[in-house]
Short mmCIF file of all heavy atoms in Angstrom, two decimals:
data_model
loop_
_atom_site.label_atom_id
_atom_site.label_comp_id
_atom_site.label_asym_id
_atom_site.label_seq_id
_atom_site.Cartn_x
_atom_site.Cartn_y
_atom_site.Cartn_z
N ILE S 15 112.77 95.40 92.67
CA ILE S 15 112.33 94.20 91.94
C ILE S 15 111.00 94.46 91.23
O ILE S 15 110.79 94.05 90.09
CB ILE S 15 112.22 92.99 92.90
CG1 ILE S 15 113.62 92.58 93.39
CG2 ILE S 15 111.54 91.81 92.22
CD1 ILE S 15 113.60 91.53 94.48
N VAL S 18 111.53 96.57 88.06
CA VAL S 18 112.14 95.75 87.01
C VAL S 18 111.11 94.78 86.44
O VAL S 18 111.02 94.58 85.21
CB VAL S 18 113.38 94.99 87.56
CG1 VAL S 18 113.88 93.97 86.56
CG2 VAL S 18 114.49 95.98 87.90
N SER S 19 110.28 94.16 87.29
CA SER S 19 109.25 93.22 86.84
C SER S 19 108.21 93.90 85.97
O SER S 19 107.81 93.37 84.92
CB SER S 19 108.55 92.57 88.04
OG SER S 19 109.46 91.82 88.78
N ALA S 22 109.72 94.64 82.58
CA ALA S 22 109.79 93.43 81.75
C ALA S 22 108.41 93.05 81.25
O ALA S 22 108.24 92.63 80.10
CB ALA S 22 110.41 92.29 82.55
N THR S 163 107.62 86.55 74.81
CA THR S 163 107.78 86.25 76.23
C THR S 163 108.96 87.05 76.77
O THR S 163 109.82 87.50 76.02
CB THR S 163 108.03 84.75 76.48
OG1 THR S 163 109.19 84.36 75.75
CG2 THR S 163 106.85 83.91 76.05
N THR S 164 108.97 87.21 78.09
CA THR S 164 110.08 87.88 78.74
C THR S 164 110.71 86.91 79.72
O THR S 164 110.28 85.75 79.81
CB THR S 164 109.59 89.12 79.51
OG1 THR S 164 108.71 88.68 80.56
CG2 THR S 164 108.83 90.06 78.59
N TRP S 165 111.69 87.34 80.49
CA TRP S 165 112.31 86.46 81.48
C TRP S 165 111.32 86.07 82.56
O TRP S 165 111.53 85.10 83.28
CB TRP S 165 113.57 87.09 82.06
CG TRP S 165 113.34 88.43 82.72
CD1 TRP S 165 113.36 89.65 82.12
CD2 TRP S 165 113.03 88.67 84.10
NE1 TRP S 165 113.09 90.62 83.03
CE2 TRP S 165 112.89 90.06 84.27
CE3 TRP S 165 112.87 87.84 85.20
CZ2 TRP S 165 112.59 90.64 85.48
CZ3 TRP S 165 112.58 88.42 86.43
CH2 TRP S 165 112.44 89.80 86.56
N LEU S 166 110.18 86.80 82.66
CA LEU S 166 109.13 86.45 83.61
C LEU S 166 108.12 85.47 83.03
O LEU S 166 107.25 84.99 83.73
CB LEU S 166 108.36 87.72 84.02
CG LEU S 166 109.01 88.64 85.02
CD1 LEU S 166 108.19 89.90 85.18
CD2 LEU S 166 109.15 87.94 86.35
N GLY S 167 108.22 85.21 81.74
CA GLY S 167 107.21 84.40 81.06
C GLY S 167 106.33 85.32 80.24
O GLY S 167 106.80 86.19 79.53
#
Side-chain angles (χ1 to χ4, degrees):
I15 292 172
V18 170
S19 297
T163 57
T164 64
W165 58 272
L166 282 173

